[in-house]
Amino acid sequence: MVAIDDGDTLQVNIQSTWQLKRPQLQEKALQTSRLHQQDQACQSGERNSKSTQTDRLFKKYSDAVRGGPGLAAVVAFLNKVVPLIEVAIAENGLYTTQTEVDWTQEAPSDATLTHTLHAPDTATSPGSEQTCCTSVSWSSTGQGIAVSYGRFDVEGWCLQPGRLCTWNLARTNFDPNKPEVTLEVDSCLQCCAYHPQQAGLIAGGSYTGDVYVWDLSQEGDFQVFKSTLSASSHQEPVTAVSWHSGSADDSLHNGGEDADVLISLGSDGRLLMWRRQTAELLYGFELMWQHPDTRKMVLWGGTCMALPQQGFQQQPLGCLVGSEGGAVFRCSLDSNAAARQAFAQAVGAQQKGLVGSAIKSLVCQHAGPVHALSASPFDPNLALSCGLDGQARICSILLRQPLLELAPSDKYLFAAQWSPTRPMVIAIGTGDGRVFLYDLMHNLERPVRILDVCGSAQPVYGLVFNVQAPELFATTDQQSVKVWNLQEGLTKQRAKERQALNRLVADATAT
C-alpha cells in the first residue's frame, strides 16, 4: 500500500500588464455613399413529370414450381385453362358491372312517384262511357306533357267525343287535377305527339280517321288544320302520328317550303304524309304484304309506328310499323317529284292516289297484334316491340330471329320504349298495372325495378321517357297519368354500355 501525504508545491505569479499602456482614442465621422436597393424575383421553370411502367410479365407456373410428384401435370393444366378463363372474364365484363373495376359507388336505380295528373269529367254526356288515356307525349322543353283521351273498345261508328289535355309541370300555378289546355274533338282521340323542336305544336289522330294539328303558342283558335275526308285519306282509326323534320333537299319536301312533315298510320293499312302549314296530303302508301299462311298479298292494318332518331334519319326515309296481324315491318317512305305530282292530281280528282306498298321487309312476327314499337336511339337497326302475345322482343332489321325475348307478365303487354339516355335500359307496360324497368347491363332476364302504377285492375296503356329531362318518366292507365322521378342509375350511361349493346348484337349474329 502507498501512502499519500500533503506537500509544498511551486507557485508562479504573473503580473498583469494591460493597464501599463493605454490606447489613445479620437472621435471621427464617416458616411458611405447612398445605397441603392432593388428587389428581384425569380421562379423555377416548368416541370414535366413522366413515368414508365414495364410490360406485364406472364411467368409460367413451371418456373416457380420446382420438383414434386404430379406438379408437371398441374402446371400443364393451368397453362392450358388460364388463358381461356381470362378471355371469358373479359367477355362477361361487357354484360355486367360486377366483373369491372369501378371506383365509384353504383348509382341507385329507384323511381319515386312525383305527380298524378287527372282530367275530370271524362264522361261528357249522361249515359256515355268514360274515355281513357290512349297516348302520352312530352314536349321539347321536357316540362310539357300532352295526353289524348279516347277508347279502345269501340265497335262500329264512334259517337264518343275525344279530348287532348296538356299540363306544364314548370308553371307556378300547376294543378295536377286541372289541365292547362283542354281541346275537344268530334270522336275518340287515339294518339298524340309533340313536335320534336317546337314546344307548342301537337298532332293527333282520331277514331274516325281525322288528323289534327294544334299550335298552343298562337292566340285564339289553337287548331292549325284538320284533315278532310277523301278517297286517299284515312277511312278507319288513326293509330299513330309522328313528326319528321327534314332538310330542304329531302325527297318528302317540295322545294323546302316546309321542313315539317307529319306522318300518320291507320288501321286501314294506310301510311300518309301531310304538310303541316297547308294541311296538304303529300303522299301515301298502303301496307301490302304476303299473308304468312296463304302467301297472297293482303292489306295489313297498322297499330303502331317508330321512326329512327334524328341522327339516324337518312335518305330514303324509313320507319318501322307494327300491324294487327302481329308482323313488324320495315317500311320506306321514299318518293319522287313525278310520283307526288300524280298523287296530288288523283287527290284533286277525288280518286284514290295511293300507289305501291311501303313495306320492304319483315322484321319479326308476334302471335297477336303489336301494341307498341320503339326504335333504339343508339343503333338504327334495332327495335323493341311488344304485343297481345305477352312477349317483348328486341329485334334487328338485319336478322330474322330476335336478339332477346322477354315475358315479364302473364298478361298482355301494351307499352314499351327504349331509354333515350341508356343504351341497355328499356321499359315495358303490362296488363296487370305494372311497369318493368330492365337494365340489360345488370341482367338480361330480370328487371331492376317494377313500378306498381295502378294495381292489377287496370292495364298500363302508355309510357314515355323524357328526352330533355331524363329523370322524368310518365305512365298512363285508364284515368290518370303518373309522373315518376328516375334516379341516376336508370338515366346516366355507364362505362362500356355501348360496347355491351354491340356485343349483344354480335352474339346474336354469330348464332
Side-chain angles (χ1 to χ4, degrees):
M1 177 179 296
V2 179
I4 300 175
D5 296 329
D6 295 334
D8 295 334
T9 58
L10 180 63
Q11 296 183 356
V12 178
N13 294 326
I14 300 175
Q15 298 294 328
S16 175
T17 60
W18 70 276
Q19 292 182 346
L20 298 179
K21 187 177 181 180
R22 295 180 178 271
Q24 296 181 356
L25 303 177
Q26 292 183 357
E27 293 184 0
K28 294 290 183 179
L30 177 66
Q31 183 177 0
T32 62
S33 59
R34 185 176 181 180
L35 299 178
H36 297 279
Q37 297 180 350
Q38 188 173 2
D39 294 334
Q40 295 287 346
C42 67
Q43 186 174 358
S44 61
E46 295 183 357
R47 295 182 178 181
N48 237 341
S49 297
K50 295 196 175 184
S51 60
T52 62
Q53 185 174 352
T54 59
D55 293 335
R56 186 179 178 185
L57 298 179
F58 295 93
K59 196 169 185 180
K60 297 292 184 180
Y61 292 96
S62 57
D63 295 339
V65 181
R66 301 294 182 185
L71 290 179
V74 174
V75 170
F77 171 76
L78 293 177
N79 288 333
K80 180 179 179 181
V81 301
V82 166
L84 300 177
I85 295 176
E86 290 178 343
V87 171
I89 292 175
E91 291 181 351
N92 290 337
L94 297 177
Y95 290 107
T96 173
T97 56
Q98 273 78 0
T99 58
E100 296 180 2
V101 178
D102 188 0
W103 302 109
T104 60
Q105 185 177 4
E106 185 177 354
S109 301
D110 203 359
T112 56
L113 180 63
T114 57
H115 301 291
T116 301
L117 312 180
H118 292 279
D121 300 329
T122 53
T124 57
S125 61
S128 61
E129 296 288 341
Q130 283 191 335
T131 56
C132 66
C133 304
T134 53
S135 70
V136 59
S137 177
W138 287 105
S139 69
S140 60
T141 63
Q143 297 299 322
I145 187 170
V147 183
S148 61
Y149 287 86
R151 289 173 57 191
F152 293 113
D153 58 349
V154 178
E155 297 180 358
W157 191 255
C158 179
L159 300 177
Q160 179 84 32
R163 290 181 306 157
L164 178 76
C165 297
T166 66
W167 288 265
N168 191 330
L169 306 183
R171 287 192 177 273
T172 56
N173 60 346
F174 164 71
D175 186 351
N177 296 315
K178 184 179 180 181
E180 181 181 357
V181 176
T182 300
L183 302 172
E184 189 168 303
V185 296
D186 297 334
S187 63
C188 291
L189 196 63
Q190 301 302 99
C191 56
C192 68
Y194 263 110
H195 190 279
Q197 282 88 35
Q198 302 184 40
L201 211 59
I202 310 175
S206 73
Y207 186 88
T208 54
D210 297 323
V211 177
Y212 295 87
V213 173
W214 298 277
D215 189 352
L216 305 185
S217 64
Q218 67 182 16
E219 298 181 358
D221 188 8
F222 294 139
Q223 183 172 303
V224 176
F225 85 75
K226 173 186 176 182
S227 63
T228 57
L229 183 63
S230 68
S232 299
S233 64
H234 290 294
Q235 311 295 315
E236 295 182 18
V238 179
T239 55
V241 289
S242 185
W243 293 95
H244 169 63
S245 298
S247 59
D249 58 350
D250 197 317
S251 64
L252 289 176
H253 307 128
N254 187 8
E257 297 176 2
D258 187 1
D260 292 328
V261 171
L262 178 64
I263 304 172
S264 63
L265 174 70
S267 58
D268 53 3
R270 296 185 177 185
L271 194 59
L272 306 180
M273 282 138 284
W274 309 80
R275 190 182 301 280
R276 171 174 65 89
Q277 293 182 345
T278 62
E280 176 189 358
L281 183 56
L282 291 175
Y283 204 69
F285 297 92
E286 290 183 321
L287 302 177
M288 299 293 297
W289 191 252
Q290 290 182 347
H291 191 278
D293 296 330
T294 64
R295 298 299 178 182
K296 293 183 179 180
M297 297 296 291
V298 296
L299 184 65
W300 294 71
T303 56
C304 51
M305 172 176 55
L307 264 69
Q309 295 296 314
Q310 195 71 23
F312 293 142
Q313 290 181 357
Q314 301 176 355
Q315 290 299 320
L317 176 65
C319 68
L320 297 173
V321 171
S323 66
E324 294 176 346
V328 176
F329 297 112
R330 181 178 66 88
C331 300
S332 173
L333 305 178
D334 191 28
S335 62
N336 53 49
R340 290 196 301 271
Q341 183 178 2
F343 180 83
Q345 293 176 353
V347 173
Q350 295 297 319
Q351 298 177 358
K352 183 178 178 180
L354 304 175
V355 179
S357 175
I359 300 176
K360 296 303 178 182
S361 64
L362 175 66
V363 178
C364 69
Q365 179 71 48
H366 285 266
V370 182
H371 288 156
L373 193 58
S374 176
S376 170
F378 305 95
D379 190 324
N381 297 322
L382 298 184
L384 169 67
S385 63
C386 72
L388 193 69
D389 56 0
Q391 295 283 329
R393 297 178 180 178
I394 295 179
C395 299
S396 171
I397 63 175
L398 305 178
L399 302 174
R400 297 303 300 268
Q401 298 297 326
L403 277 65
L404 184 64
E405 291 183 321
L406 300 170
S409 171
D410 56 356
K411 301 292 184 180
Y412 304 148
L413 305 183
F414 289 95
Q417 193 180 28
W418 219 297
S419 168
T421 57
R422 289 283 313 275
M424 298 289 281
V425 169
I426 59 175
I428 302 171
T430 67
D432 55 5
R434 295 181 294 173
V435 170
F436 290 76
L437 293 169
Y438 286 87
D439 186 350
L440 304 180
M441 279 281 289
H442 182 75
N443 195 299
L444 291 175
E445 297 179 354
R446 295 185 178 181
V448 294
R449 187 64 53 191
I450 301 177
L451 306 182
D452 188 2
V453 176
C454 54
S456 60
Q458 300 178 5
V460 177
Y461 285 125
L463 57 85
V464 59
F465 287 95
N466 195 322
V467 177
Q468 299 300 325
E471 70 277 5
L472 298 180
F473 177 71
T475 61
T476 65
D477 50 60
Q478 288 188 351
Q479 301 301 328
S480 65
V481 180
K482 290 182 171 62
V483 179
W484 306 77
N485 187 277
L486 303 180
Q487 292 187 342
E488 192 177 73
L490 292 170
T491 59
K492 186 177 180 180
Q493 188 173 149
R494 297 184 180 181
K496 296 185 179 181
E497 191 165 357
R498 297 287 286 269
Q499 293 92 323
L501 182 63
N502 296 336
R503 174 65 63 180
L504 182 65
V505 178
D507 290 346
T509 305
T511 56

